[in-house]
Amino acid sequence: ALFSAGYGNVGSSIYYALGIVALIALGATPIVLAIAGILFIFNALTYAEGTAMLPEAGGSSTFARHGFNNTTGFIAGWALMLSYIVTMAISAYTIPPYLSHFWPVLKEPFAGTILSMGIIIFLMVVNVLGIKESSRLNIVFIVLDIATQITLVILGIVLILAVNPSVLIQNMFGAGNWPSTENMIFGVAIAALCFTGVETVSQLAEETRQPEKRIPQSYILMIAAVLVLFAGISIVALSAMTPQVLGDPINGWARDPVAGIAANLPSTLLQNIFAPLVAVLAASILLTATNAGLMGISRLAFSMSSHRQLPQTLSRIHPRFRTPYIAIILFCIIAFLLLIPGFFSDEFFADLGALYVFGSLLSFGLAQAAILALRVKKPDLSRPFKLGWNVRIKGKELPLVTILGFVGTTTVWLVVIIAQEFSRQVGLSWMILGLIMYGIYRWRHRKSSAKAGDNADQAT
């Protein structure tokens, strides 16, 4: 169940990340995804140690709070909230192109955006009412999804790549297909979209039996699945299509790249079988990912409010449905607003991806820094899953995996800030707004605490 929850987010990202990466990295897409996969391994293993050590909802916010202080915990959590909101928006926005197999009108920006907004509203109502997600149903969808993707990879290798291997070489390295150095580096940054499930597993730690054992197992399973499937799908996609077609958000397959693979299988029979199957599975997995983003926000808001990093209002529970309804409604409205540009153009799709990367990599970098800090400050803390390959600095053991992950994550985050104007403006504005709100909230809290102390002294 843990693996299915995490893979529901990671696996869903291939349904849109492949197209966004191809839009930027062109023929280097498989190489870019492989580099991002290495960073994914570093992140997943670091989170495995941190979550097994601190099995609390909050993920990177919890790590940063324990490793540093409340303010750093807030910064990590606020950045993570941004990534959750964008996960909701981008997952919902990707559903209509896949369903356009049945209803072609959904390919149109206006109709597709209306449906995406409707999905956000529907899930908002569902989560306010407190209808529980079925882990068994998630497992069924994940098993079908993995089986379908493996089948597509095998068919693509046997029927497309093996028949004419020179096509892949041409689509990767041919004239006009290899990206510039700047786009190659930026492509690695955007490929961090594939990290979406790392926090999902961590957020479920409090609801997991034997988290010290099952959390690391889930992360290791996710690593194996992501590396195999992402490599296979990207290679088959570039064997079936040119990178220009794969990464075209208007007339190509950027928003539904896996549907592009199904549509380009060299057999009408196979196309008729896999095109509707991919459409249904993609819509189901992406709906699950949208809902997982919303559930992650509600858990994170509740955790941060309980540690006085956010106003208590956001953790207020509905008297009847017992859900944090204010946080759910507020962040759904923000995700809803992020979809407005979709009425006018599909090209803002890449902007959404870059904005997700801004928030997620900032929270991941702080999480990795916090795990390193805890190795220094609290070396004797129980670590049921402890990373090996340690380097000793001033008598302290620091995991090499986390050090490399921190350096790589921070570097990629800086690349996004420098290269992508939309994510820089919106992301930094989001962080500044959050810090102002946090400062006011903490000031008012200290003031009210001091007043309560004075009243208590007078009463005594």
Side-chain angles (χ1 to χ4, degrees):
L2 270 178
F3 167 76
S4 68
Y7 183 83
N9 268 359
V10 176
S12 70
S13 67
I14 196 64
Y15 286 104
Y16 52 81
L18 180 60
I20 298 177
V21 173
L23 173 64
I24 297 161
L26 297 174
T29 295
I31 297 171
V32 160
L33 285 172
I35 296 171
I38 295 171
L39 291 177
F40 176 81
I41 294 172
F42 293 159
N43 275 285
L45 291 176
T46 298
Y47 268 73
E49 175 173 313
T51 308
M53 177 175 57
L54 301 168
E56 306 172 19
S60 58
S61 177
T62 296
F63 302 160
R65 177 168 50 82
H66 283 276
F68 298 108
N69 50 44
N70 258 357
T71 301
T72 310
F74 169 80
I75 293 171
W78 191 246
L80 183 58
M81 278 193 173
L82 176 62
S83 68
Y84 274 135
I85 292 168
V86 180
T87 294
M88 290 170 56
I90 199 169
S91 297
Y93 188 67
T94 313
I95 293 174
Y98 281 99
L99 291 181
S100 68
H101 173 80
F102 304 106
W103 302 286
V105 69
L106 294 178
K107 271 282 189 183
E108 299 297 324
F110 185 85
T113 304
I114 286 291
L115 177 59
S116 301
M117 290 178 165
I119 290 168
I120 298 290
I121 294 173
F122 167 73
L123 291 177
M124 180 183 73
V125 173
V126 165
N127 280 270
V128 168
L129 294 179
I131 298 174
K132 292 186 178 180
E133 187 178 39
S134 170
S135 62
R136 290 184 180 179
L137 186 60
N138 276 355
I139 292 171
V140 171
F141 279 133
I142 294 307
V143 170
L144 286 174
D145 177 69
I146 292 175
T148 301
Q149 289 198 40
I150 290 174
T151 305
L152 281 174
V153 170
I154 293 171
L155 288 173
I157 291 173
V158 173
L159 299 178
I160 302 174
L161 184 58
V163 172
N164 191 0
S166 62
V167 172
L168 176 61
I169 303 301
Q170 174 61 31
N171 285 342
M172 287 185 66
F173 304 103
N177 292 338
W178 192 255
S180 64
T181 303
E182 292 79 5
N183 277 8
M184 181 84 168
I185 296 171
F186 186 45
V188 173
I190 291 298
L193 276 166
C194 306
F195 297 172
T196 48
V198 174
E199 279 282 355
T200 302
V201 173
S202 185
Q203 294 288 341
L204 292 168
E206 284 186 355
E207 303 165 45
T208 302
R209 298 192 192 99
Q210 296 181 302
E212 69 283 353
K213 177 182 177 181
R214 292 176 177 169
I215 294 284
Q217 289 175 344
S218 301
Y219 277 122
I220 291 169
L221 279 173
M222 283 169 59
I223 289 170
V226 165
L227 293 183
V228 172
L229 291 178
F230 279 33
I233 286 290
S234 62
I235 289 171
V236 168
L238 278 181
S239 300
M241 295 168 276
T242 66
Q244 290 79 10
V245 172
L246 177 61
D248 186 345
I250 300 174
N251 300 311
W253 300 96
R255 288 180 63 194
D256 48 350
V258 182
I261 297 174
N264 283 281
L265 289 172
S267 163
T268 303
L269 176 61
L270 290 174
Q271 291 175 11
N272 291 337
I273 292 173
F274 280 95
L277 180 60
V278 166
V280 172
L281 279 176
S284 303
I285 297 298
L286 289 164
L287 182 66
T288 301
T290 309
N291 193 52
L294 181 51
M295 293 176 70
I297 285 176
S298 62
R299 288 185 179 95
L300 180 59
F302 191 87
S303 173
M304 292 177 70
S305 295
S306 64
H307 291 99
R308 294 175 181 171
Q309 294 170 322
L310 285 176
Q312 296 294 319
T313 305
L314 290 178
S315 63
R316 187 177 298 167
I317 301 298
H318 194 282
R320 178 180 175 186
F321 303 121
R322 311 304 300 165
T323 55
Y325 67 104
I326 294 178
I328 291 171
I329 292 172
L330 173 63
F331 293 116
C332 278
I333 290 173
I334 298 173
F336 186 94
L337 294 175
L338 278 177
L339 290 172
I340 290 177
F343 283 119
F344 311 105
S345 172
D346 289 327
E347 295 180 353
F348 92 111
F349 189 47
D351 291 337
L352 277 182
L355 186 59
Y356 167 80
V357 172
F358 175 95
S360 63
L361 291 190
L362 177 55
S363 62
F364 292 156
L366 289 172
Q368 291 160 335
I371 296 303
L372 293 173
L374 285 168
R375 283 288 190 101
V376 174
K377 293 168 61 177
K378 299 179 181 180
D380 298 325
L381 195 64
S382 175
R383 290 172 172 84
F385 178 84
K386 186 175 181 179
L387 290 170
W389 295 86
N390 295 295
V391 294
R392 187 172 289 275
I393 300 176
K394 294 184 178 180
K396 306 296 183 182
E397 287 189 337
L398 301 180
L400 184 60
V401 164
T402 304
I403 294 172
L404 293 174
F406 174 73
V407 172
T409 299
T410 305
T411 301
V412 171
W413 184 71
L414 290 173
V415 168
V416 172
I417 289 181
I418 295 169
Q420 226 281 340
E421 183 179 4
F422 177 82
S423 62
R424 179 174 64 249
Q425 292 179 348
V426 176
L428 292 177
S429 297
W430 171 266
M431 296 308 301
I432 292 169
L433 177 65
L435 285 169
I436 291 172
M437 180 187 70
Y438 175 77
I440 294 172
Y441 168 67
R442 296 289 290 184
W443 174 74
R444 293 182 64 180
H445 176 73
R446 285 193 297 268
K447 189 175 179 181
S448 61
S449 297
K451 185 176 180 180
D454 290 341
N455 290 339
D457 289 342
Q458 290 174 8
T460 300

